[in-house]
């Protein structure tokens, strides 16, 4: 459907999907705890970026991931800089960017089926409470995969504006919403065709 998986034989490709998701959760926890400071934040972003070539992904994939996040960096970083301080802006924005880069790395080095199976195992104990492991697993995996997809839609909208020489400003949300909803319909149709949705 919308998997960003790229085949490879690097260490991250060989690592089980469960370990990758566990490490992503640990990374999120660790990034939220200490006060990194600007040097620590830069070091974290460099370390996360280095993981892309370690995973035998082309440098283009790393460049695309950073490029998709440029407006998030500018808007979030600018707002925090304006309302808090330069240090808080760099640290907080850096944390978000690092986590998004890691999430994309997981989707690029793990097959969607493997992620689904991990989520199923996690949710299976909740079956007695009425939870459907398959539905929850599919929802979680689609959520992770949609992050870079929506970022790509935002890039398409901005490129189209630039090609037409117009600036929609906040109104750019409308075409982004249309693209996202159309994609959601396509995914829904694909799920229904496979008997995974009604």
């Amino acid at each position: 459907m919308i998997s960003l998986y790229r085949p490879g034989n690097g260490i991250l490709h060989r690592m089980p999907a469960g370990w990758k998701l566990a490490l992503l959760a640990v990374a999120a926890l660790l990034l939220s705890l200490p006060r990194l400071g600007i040097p620590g934040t830069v070091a974290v972003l460099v370390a996360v970026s280095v993981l892309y070539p370690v995973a035998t992904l082309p440098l283009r994939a790393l460049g695309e991931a950073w490029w998709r996040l440029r407006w998030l960096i500018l808007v979030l970083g600018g707002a925090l800089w304006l309302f808090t301080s330069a240090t808080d802006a760099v640290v907080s924005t850096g944390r978000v960017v690092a986590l998004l880069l890691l999430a994309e790395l997981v989707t690029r080095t793990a097959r969607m089926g493997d992620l689904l199976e991990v989520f199923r195992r996690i949710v299976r104990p909740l079956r007695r409470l009425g939870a459907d492991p398959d539905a929850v697993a599919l929802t979680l995996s689609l959520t992770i995969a949609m992050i870079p997809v929506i970022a790509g839609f935002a890039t398409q909208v901005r490129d189209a504006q630039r090609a037409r020489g117009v600036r929609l400003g906040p109104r750019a949300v409308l075409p982004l919403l249309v693209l996202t909803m159309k994609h959601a319909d396509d995914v829904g149709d694909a799920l229904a065709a496979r008997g995974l949705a009604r």
Side-chain angles (χ1 to χ4, degrees):
M1 286 183 295
I2 57 174
S3 175
L4 297 176
Y5 175 74
R6 295 293 179 271
N9 57 3
I11 184 171
L12 289 178
H13 281 86
R14 296 194 303 270
M15 183 183 295
W19 278 101
K20 282 184 267 201
L21 289 173
L23 290 174
L24 179 61
V26 169
L29 180 62
L30 292 178
L31 283 173
S32 67
L33 293 179
R35 182 164 181 80
L36 295 173
I38 292 179
T41 302
V42 172
V44 166
L45 290 171
V46 169
V48 170
S49 297
V50 167
L51 288 176
Y52 277 70
V54 167
T56 65
L57 293 172
L59 289 178
R60 179 180 177 182
L62 175 61
E64 289 173 350
W66 272 99
W67 183 248
R68 281 195 291 267
L69 294 172
R70 67 192 186 280
W71 291 110
L72 171 70
I73 295 170
L74 289 174
V75 173
L76 179 59
L80 290 172
W81 193 310
L82 182 64
F83 293 109
T84 57
S85 67
T87 299
D88 286 342
V90 172
V91 172
S92 297
T93 305
R95 285 174 172 162
V96 173
V97 169
L99 285 175
L100 291 176
L101 289 173
L102 286 172
E104 178 162 343
L105 186 61
V106 168
T107 62
R108 284 184 177 273
T109 60
R111 291 181 176 87
M112 186 65 70
D114 296 337
L115 293 175
L116 278 170
E117 185 54 38
V118 172
F119 288 134
R120 283 193 196 98
R121 289 201 303 267
I122 293 172
V123 179
R124 199 166 287 143
L126 301 178
R127 186 189 295 273
R128 63 190 63 175
L129 300 176
D132 181 354
D134 291 332
V136 174
L138 185 60
T139 300
L140 290 173
S141 59
L142 287 175
T143 300
I144 291 175
M146 279 298 292
I147 295 171
V149 171
I150 293 177
F153 289 157
T155 300
Q156 290 179 27
V157 170
R158 284 189 294 272
D159 291 344
Q161 291 178 33
R162 194 174 297 114
R164 291 173 174 81
V166 297
R167 294 181 61 87
L168 296 177
R171 291 176 297 170
V173 173
L174 184 58
L176 177 60
L177 182 61
V178 170
L179 283 173
T180 303
M181 295 302 291
K182 182 180 182 304
H183 183 72
D185 284 341
D186 292 342
V187 172
D189 291 342
L191 292 174
R194 290 165 174 79
L196 299 173
R198 296 181 181 87

